[in-house]
Amino acid sequence: MLYHLLFPLADQHILFNVFQYISFRAAGAMVTALLTAFLVGPGVISRLRRHGIGQVVRADGPATHLKKAGTPTMGGLIILAACLVPTLLWARLDNTYVWIAFGVTAWMGAIGFMDDYLKIVRHHSRGLIARYKLIWQFVLGLALGGFLLWQPPSAYGATQTMLPFFKDLTVVLAPAVFPLFVAVVVAGTANTVNLTDGLDGLATGLAAIAALTFGAFAYAIGRVDTSAYLGVLYLNGAGELSVFCAALAGAAIGFLWFNAHPADVIMGDTGSLALGGAIGAVAVLLKSEFLLLIVGGVFVLEGLSVMAQVGWFKFSRWRWGEGRRLLRMAPLHHHFEKLGWPEPRVVTRFYILGIIFALVGLATLKIR
C-alpha cells in the first residue's frame, strides 16, 4: 500500500524514491511486524486470559509441562495480525506472489483457529477432527497447485523446480502430479511446524530462522544479476516475497517476546499452521521445495521422529506381540526432555541446529 501511495511522489521529492527498493520495504515490514506484535500482544493475551482460553496439557506428556495448564493459547492471532498487516502496508499489492502467500497464511490460520476454537472454547476434546483438518489443508494445496498450472507467475514452467547443490539442473513434474506435490509440501510443512510447537519458543524461533532464510532466497531469485551469478532460476517479481518473509519473521520474533520460556501465551494451531503453511507456500513459489528439506531440517526431523515412533511401535507389536518405542517420547524434543534436558536447553540447541541447517541451505547457492 505504501509503495502505491508514496513511490509516485518520487518525482516531487527524492526521499520517496526509497519505496521502490525491496530491501527498504522488507526492513520496514519487519520493524512494523515487531511493533505490531508488541502492541497487539498484551491486549490479546489479556482477553484470552479473561475468557479462560487456556492450554490443555497431555496427561502422558513430560511432568514439567503440567504447570503450563491454563496458559493462554490461540496466541497465533498475534502472529497473523503482525504478519498480514505489515505485508499489506509494505508489499506491492499488484504482485501475484504476495497475494498467494498472504492467502495461504490466512487460510491455514483459519483452519488452526477453528481447531483451537472447537477444542478450547467449545470443549470438543478432539477439536477439528484430524482428517477434516488434513482434507482442508490438501484442498488448499491442490487449489494452489491448480492455480499455478493455470496462471504460472513466472516464465518458467509451473511444474519446474530447482534441486539444491546442482547448477542448472531442475526437476520437471508431470502436470497431473504437480497439484498433489504442492499439497504435500504445504500440508506437510504446516503439520511438522505444528508438531514442533511443543516447547516454549521452539517453533516460533525456528520459523523465524526459516522465514529469514527464504527471504534471502527470494531477494536473490527475484534479481536478474544475483540469480545469474548464483546459477538459480530468475523469477520476475519473486523478490517481493522477501517483504512477506521479513514480515513473517518479524511477527514470529515479536511473538517470541511473549512465548519465550516461561511462556505468557502459546500460539496454538492458529499460529503453527499459519507459520508452516506460509513457509511451505513460499518454498513452492520460489521453486525451492527440495531446499525446504534442508532449511527446515529441524521440522523434518520432528516429523520423521513421530513417523518412526509410530511405525516401529506398530511393527514391533505385530512382530513380537508387544509395542516398543524407538524414542522415550515423540516428537523429538520430548525425547530429550525425557533424557533430563531442561526445556530452555532443548530449545537453544534446536535453534543452533536450525541456524546450521539454514546456513547449509544458503551455502547451496555458492556451490552452484
Side-chain angles (χ1 to χ4, degrees):
M1 183 182 299
L2 293 177
Y3 170 87
H4 301 285
L5 291 174
L6 299 179
F7 179 57
L9 301 177
D11 292 337
Q12 302 175 30
H13 198 291
I14 195 172
L15 175 65
F16 296 107
N17 199 47
V18 296
F19 285 92
Q20 73 172 306
Y21 298 114
I22 290 176
S23 55
F24 173 78
R25 288 186 286 110
M30 189 169 187
V31 172
T32 304
L34 282 167
L35 293 176
T36 302
F38 292 156
L39 292 173
V40 171
V44 171
I45 295 170
S46 176
R47 180 158 297 193
L48 292 173
R49 187 177 289 115
R50 192 182 317 128
H51 287 84
I53 301 176
Q55 178 74 0
V56 178
V57 177
R58 293 167 49 187
D60 59 343
T64 54
H65 286 214
L66 295 176
K67 60 186 178 182
K68 298 177 185 284
T71 302
T73 188
M74 295 177 72
L77 293 170
I78 301 170
I79 296 174
L80 285 171
C83 171
L84 299 182
V85 172
T87 297
L88 291 176
L89 283 174
W90 291 97
R92 288 185 57 165
L93 301 184
D94 57 354
N95 185 281
T96 303
Y97 289 102
V98 170
W99 281 114
I100 291 175
F102 186 98
V104 170
T105 305
W107 181 294
M108 283 295 191
I111 295 173
F113 177 83
M114 183 59 67
D115 185 45
D116 287 337
Y117 180 81
L118 291 175
K119 186 163 42 184
I120 299 168
V121 179
R122 292 296 185 182
H123 304 292
H124 294 184
S125 59
R126 298 171 65 186
L128 187 62
I129 297 175
R131 65 175 177 273
Y132 294 153
K133 187 162 55 174
L134 195 58
I135 286 172
W136 281 111
Q137 292 172 10
F138 263 79
V139 167
L140 172 64
L142 292 172
L144 174 58
F147 177 81
L148 293 176
L149 283 174
W150 176 51
Q151 292 286 340
S154 73
Y156 295 95
T159 65
Q160 188 175 2
T161 185
M162 294 183 285
L163 280 177
F165 302 108
F166 295 97
K167 184 176 182 178
D168 299 327
L169 182 61
T170 60
V171 173
V172 180
L173 301 170
V177 174
F178 181 69
L180 181 60
F181 175 70
V182 172
V184 169
V185 171
V186 174
T189 309
N191 284 288
T192 52
V193 173
N194 181 251
L195 288 173
T196 306
D197 184 33
L199 302 180
D200 294 345
L202 179 58
T204 314
L206 290 171
I209 294 169
L212 288 172
T213 305
F214 274 108
F217 275 109
Y219 186 78
I221 288 172
R223 289 178 59 96
V224 176
D225 53 351
T226 310
S227 59
Y229 173 73
L230 296 173
V232 296
L233 300 179
Y234 165 62
L235 304 179
N236 184 31
E240 207 66 28
L241 281 174
S242 61
V243 179
F244 172 80
C245 288
L248 185 66
I253 295 170
F255 181 74
L256 187 59
W257 181 271
F258 308 103
N259 187 231
H261 184 77
D264 296 319
V265 65
I266 295 169
M267 72 170 74
D269 283 11
T270 306
S272 60
L273 293 184
L275 286 172
I279 294 169
V282 168
V284 169
L285 292 171
L286 294 178
K287 298 184 179 294
S288 303
E289 297 93 338
F290 294 107
L291 182 67
L292 179 59
L293 295 174
I294 300 174
V295 175
V298 176
F299 297 134
V300 174
L301 292 176
E302 294 274 27
L304 290 177
S305 71
V306 173
M307 294 170 62
Q309 183 87 323
V310 173
W312 179 251
F313 187 86
K314 289 182 177 180
F315 173 79
S316 60
R317 186 171 56 185
W318 168 79
R319 181 67 178 81
W320 297 292
E322 178 187 11
R324 302 177 183 177
R325 298 179 179 181
L326 283 174
L327 304 172
R328 295 198 176 189
M329 188 176 178
L332 188 60
H333 54 264
H334 287 322
H335 170 74
F336 290 104
E337 278 195 293
K338 289 287 189 177
L339 288 178
W341 290 18
E343 183 172 340
R345 179 181 296 177
V346 178
V347 172
T348 302
R349 289 181 174 175
F350 274 47
Y351 280 178
I352 295 171
L353 282 177
I355 293 171
I356 292 172
F357 280 123
L359 291 175
V360 172
L362 289 171
T364 65
L365 291 176
K366 293 304 294 180
I367 291 173
R368 289 170 180 270

